[in-house]
Amino acid sequence: MYLMSQQAIVREYRIALGANPQGHKTQQGDERTPEGRYTLDYVKEDSTFYRAMHISYPNRQDRATARENDVDPGGFIMVHGQPNGYGFISVLSQRLDWTDGCIALTNAEMNEFLRLVPVGTPIHIEW
């Protein structure tokens, strides 16, 4: 994942995505990370993962597509750290795609991310 300011790369992170990462998230439980343009719209400090920032999925188009296909689009997609109490496994876990559709960082990177990225920042996710 690239953290950008204008056209310059400020920071690059090795991330873990959903366990089934290729293709846009279309429904709850597909283990995909949504693709498209969203907003990082709030910080969640009481997550089951080490700190988290919410991604505004599903957007209007995601909900419409889910309705057309009679499925739940899912939601509660975050950029987050490691599972609480398991930060030590990030050396291994960041080499795999293991989330249910979120974007995972190490705990140290999550601290940095939250220092550098204000609520309201746009995020463009693409495979």
Side-chain angles (χ1 to χ4, degrees):
M1 176 170 72
Y2 299 107
L3 180 58
M4 309 283 294
S5 178
Q6 305 301 326
Q7 299 300 318
I9 297 173
V10 174
R11 184 74 164 85
E12 181 177 346
Y13 299 103
R14 180 180 182 97
I15 58 172
L17 298 172
N20 184 26
Q22 284 190 293
H24 178 59
K25 182 169 196 62
T26 57
Q27 67 182 61
Q28 184 173 349
D30 64 10
E31 296 187 327
R32 291 187 173 157
T33 302
E35 295 181 4
R37 295 186 185 277
Y38 299 93
T39 301
L40 296 165
D41 54 1
Y42 66 88
V43 174
K44 183 168 178 51
E45 294 286 1
D46 63 344
S47 171
T48 57
F49 297 92
Y50 180 80
R51 306 185 81 188
M53 185 176 271
H54 185 258
I55 298 170
S56 65
Y57 174 87
N59 62 25
R60 190 176 334 182
Q61 181 60 51
D62 297 321
R63 286 189 296 276
T65 300
R67 262 192 314 275
E68 290 169 12
N69 293 307
D70 197 30
V71 296
D72 182 338
F76 217 53
I77 302 297
M78 305 272 184
V79 177
H80 62 67
Q82 300 299 297
N84 287 331
Y86 292 94
F88 64 92
I89 67 169
S90 65
V91 172
L92 299 174
S93 67
Q94 288 308 103
R95 297 175 187 265
L96 307 167
D97 289 321
W98 56 269
T99 76
D100 286 335
C102 295
I103 299 171
L105 301 170
T106 68
N107 292 351
E109 290 170 336
M110 194 64 213
N111 285 334
E112 178 183 70
F113 184 83
L114 288 174
R115 274 194 318 273
L116 296 173
V117 180
V119 168
T121 298
I123 183 171
H124 181 200
I125 305 168
E126 66 180 67
W127 177 256

